[in-house]
């Protein structure tokens, strides 16, 4: 299929991303978290688009939005397409929602062309990929994969979301289109790229607890300053040898004239190799313990999430590569340093991913930007790929 035939479709996709961007829990930016009022409104809006496209629309027990295009063969397996509709705080327009509305527009185009597929298609808007509300990502996709733990269920205030589990073998493939969140495609002047693997990831909550005191009367050598201990640790995180981020920092009691008696922080740590990530975590924990001991602090260390690295399926990648070659002069293959719902869904079926170029590689930021011609090309690639599946 020619990318030029998707130009108007790309304009619709961009406009729908704008509409979703207006739905937020917090004014002054885009924020949608798991089962929040804004997420419910986003599901309702995207669900109305699915309904208008002639899909069977539902929401499962984990609040994932699903649009189903059934095959004439009732016994056929299902292709799963989509991404997530939740966001980080103060997000951009495209991380997640672009993959949902692009999949919907592509499937709607195939339906309008009278194409009949030998399998069912489901388009999904996952309810939680970013993990903002509970600091544990992939709640929607892990519910479908049946991999939520008792700790997850105890943490989540919603009951019964484990009922969203789908049988292993129901889906024969999952394919996700997503912005690259990096600068490679822009540097190579390519609209789309083939994802080879998704990096492993851990999320950890860390606490340093000392003693609060008066900022003017407590001698420097008698302080148990939790912030000083946390600061020393953060500098070590930056030098740990893998991709690591301290994204949240909370000082308690949080007054300008009080020595912080407690500091809570989050650690996000990733690498393409599981062993390297695990080794870095072990080394950082040992250093945190040493800092706490030296400064007379108490240390808490709680792992909130761990995801192993996930290779994309070779057979699906081969088909996606052929589709890319029809529209690009070369195929740029690259791993994803960011996590995606594909990592969770890989537990129940093979997965593949297509990246779209994003301006300057910026994501998780209001400056997130994509070009309509790139979106059109991605939709054309996805359409060719879907038709090539058997």
């Amino acid at each position: 299929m020619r990318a030029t035939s998707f130009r108007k479709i790309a304009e619709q996709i961009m406009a729908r991303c704008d509409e979703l961007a207006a739905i937020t829990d917090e004014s002054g930016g885009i924020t949608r978290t798991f089962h929040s009022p804004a997420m419910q409104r986003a599901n309702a809006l995207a669900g109305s688009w699915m309904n208008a496209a002639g899909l069977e629309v539902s929401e499962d027990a984990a609040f994932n939005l699903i649009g189903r295009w059934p095959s004439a063969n009732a016994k056929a397996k299902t292709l799963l397409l989509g991404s997530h509709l939740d966001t980080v705080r103060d997000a951009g327009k495209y991380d997640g929602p672009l993959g949902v509305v692009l999949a919907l527009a592509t499937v709607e185009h195939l339906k309008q062309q009278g194409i009949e597929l030998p399998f069912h298609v489901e388009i999904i808007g996952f309810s939680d990929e970013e993990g903002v509300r509970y600091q544990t990502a992939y709640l929607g996709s892990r519910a479908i994969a049946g991999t939520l733990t008792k700790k997850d269920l105890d943490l989540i205030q919603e009951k019964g979301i484990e009922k969203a589990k789908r049988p292993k073998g129901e889906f024969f493939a999952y394919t996700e289109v997503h912005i690259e969140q990096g600068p490679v495609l822009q540097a190579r002047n390519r609209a789309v790229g083939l994802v080879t693997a998704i990096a492993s990831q851990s999320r950890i909550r860390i606490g340093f607890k000392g003693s609060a005191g008066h900022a003017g009367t407590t001698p420097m050598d008698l302080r148990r300053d939790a912030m000083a201990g946390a600061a020393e640790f953060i500098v070590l995180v930056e030098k740990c040898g893998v991709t690591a981020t301290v994204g949240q920092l909370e000082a308690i009691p949080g007054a300008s004239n009080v020595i912080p008696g407690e500091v809570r922080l989050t650690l996000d740590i990733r690498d393409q190799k599981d062993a390297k990530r695990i080794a870095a975590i072990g080394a950082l924990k040992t250093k945190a313990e040493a800092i706490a001991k030296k400064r007379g602090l108490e240390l808490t260390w709680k792992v909130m999430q761990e995801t192993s690295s996930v290779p994309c399926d070779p057979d699906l990648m081969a088909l996606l590569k052929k589709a890319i070659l029809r529209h690009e002069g070369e195929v740029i293959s690259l791993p994803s340093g960011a996590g995606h719902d594909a990592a969770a869904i890989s537990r129940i079926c093979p997965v593949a991913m297509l990246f779209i170029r994003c301006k300057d590689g910026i994501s998780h930021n209001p400056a997130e930007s994509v070009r309509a011609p790139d979106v059109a090309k991605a939709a054309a690639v996805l359409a060719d790929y879907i038709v090539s599946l058997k």
Side-chain angles (χ1 to χ4, degrees):
M1 298 184 186
R2 296 178 63 84
T4 52
S5 65
F6 286 87
R7 285 176 180 171
K8 288 187 177 180
I9 294 171
E11 292 173 5
Q12 179 195 59
I13 291 168
M14 302 286 278
R16 286 179 168 179
C17 286
D18 288 342
E19 288 187 64
L20 285 168
I23 302 174
T24 177
D25 290 312
E26 300 173 355
S27 60
I30 308 168
T31 302
R32 291 191 300 272
T33 63
F34 177 73
H35 198 45
S36 67
M39 272 298 299
Q40 293 175 53
R41 296 197 302 274
N43 274 12
L45 178 60
S48 71
W49 297 333
M50 291 177 174
N51 185 67
L55 304 185
E56 299 170 358
V57 184
S58 62
E59 188 178 88
D60 67 18
F63 312 110
N64 297 305
L65 175 67
I66 301 167
R68 183 175 175 85
W69 179 21
S71 167
N73 178 8
K75 295 182 179 180
K77 291 189 176 183
T78 301
L79 168 66
L80 188 61
L81 304 170
S83 192
H84 58 98
L85 290 173
D86 72 312
T87 72
V88 296
R89 285 194 170 90
D90 197 23
K93 298 178 183 179
Y94 303 108
D95 178 353
L98 177 61
V100 180
V101 296
L102 188 147
L104 172 59
T106 303
V107 166
E108 185 174 16
H109 176 74
L110 294 177
K111 286 176 89 278
Q112 291 172 347
Q113 296 299 307
I115 292 173
E116 295 185 5
L117 299 173
F119 46 81
H120 310 297
V121 178
E122 286 191 11
I123 299 166
I124 190 159
F126 288 111
S127 59
D128 175 89
E129 190 257 14
E130 301 290 4
V132 171
R133 184 169 177 182
Y134 296 111
Q135 288 78 57
T136 178
Y138 314 133
L139 291 181
S141 47
R142 286 195 291 140
I144 284 179
T147 56
L148 291 175
T149 65
K150 184 179 184 302
K151 183 174 74 172
D152 295 324
L153 297 174
D154 289 343
L155 178 68
I156 301 163
Q157 296 170 11
E158 305 290 345
K159 303 300 180 184
I161 72 167
E162 69 275 14
K163 294 178 182 177
K165 179 181 178 180
R166 303 287 286 270
K168 191 170 184 178
E170 179 179 358
F171 303 120
F172 72 88
Y174 170 67
T175 303
E176 180 171 353
V177 179
H178 203 283
I179 60 172
E180 182 195 350
Q181 300 177 276
V184 176
L185 293 175
Q186 179 173 287
R188 300 288 293 273
N189 194 28
R190 295 299 174 191
V192 297
L194 179 69
V195 181
T196 57
I198 301 168
S200 66
Q201 178 184 11
S202 294
R203 293 190 183 188
I204 303 167
R205 285 181 181 173
I206 301 166
F208 290 93
K209 189 171 184 180
S211 179
H214 194 291
T217 62
T218 309
M220 297 299 290
D221 61 345
L222 296 180
R223 297 185 178 197
R224 296 171 59 223
D225 187 337
M227 181 63 81
E232 185 177 348
F233 175 74
I234 292 169
V235 171
L236 295 175
V237 168
E238 190 178 32
K239 302 173 182 178
C240 73
V242 298
T243 303
T245 305
V246 173
Q248 292 179 318
L249 188 67
E250 179 186 10
I252 301 169
S256 63
N257 61 345
V258 179
I259 300 163
E262 183 178 359
V263 170
R264 300 168 184 168
L265 58 91
T266 61
L267 174 63
D268 181 306
I269 192 162
R270 312 179 190 215
D271 197 80
Q272 301 299 318
K273 296 181 179 179
D274 290 328
K276 191 174 178 182
R277 169 183 55 88
I278 292 167
I281 291 170
L284 283 173
K285 186 176 183 183
T286 298
K287 291 175 181 177
E289 291 168 342
I291 291 168
K293 183 178 180 180
K294 177 181 67 175
R295 293 180 173 274
L297 306 174
E298 298 174 19
L299 174 72
T300 58
W301 185 282
K302 186 175 182 181
V303 177
M304 302 303 297
Q305 175 204 332
E306 285 193 306
T307 307
S308 299
S309 60
V310 174
C312 290
D313 181 77
D315 293 335
L316 296 179
M317 282 197 295
L319 293 175
L320 200 50
K321 183 176 182 178
K322 288 181 180 178
I324 293 170
L325 281 172
R326 293 190 190 106
H327 303 281
E328 290 276 44
E330 65 175 325
V331 176
I332 306 299
S333 299
L334 67 168
S336 173
H340 300 284
D341 288 299
I345 295 298
S346 69
R347 300 290 292 273
I348 57 172
C349 71
V351 301
M353 287 192 68
L354 179 73
F355 271 163
I356 298 178
R357 169 172 47 189
C358 64
K359 185 178 180 181
D360 298 328
I362 294 173
S363 74
H364 286 190
N365 185 305
E368 238 171 46
S369 179
V370 298
R371 298 170 63 248
D374 293 351
V375 171
K377 189 167 287 188
V381 168
L382 182 62
D384 285 346
Y385 165 78
I386 291 170
V387 172
S388 72
L389 292 166
K390 304 297 182 183

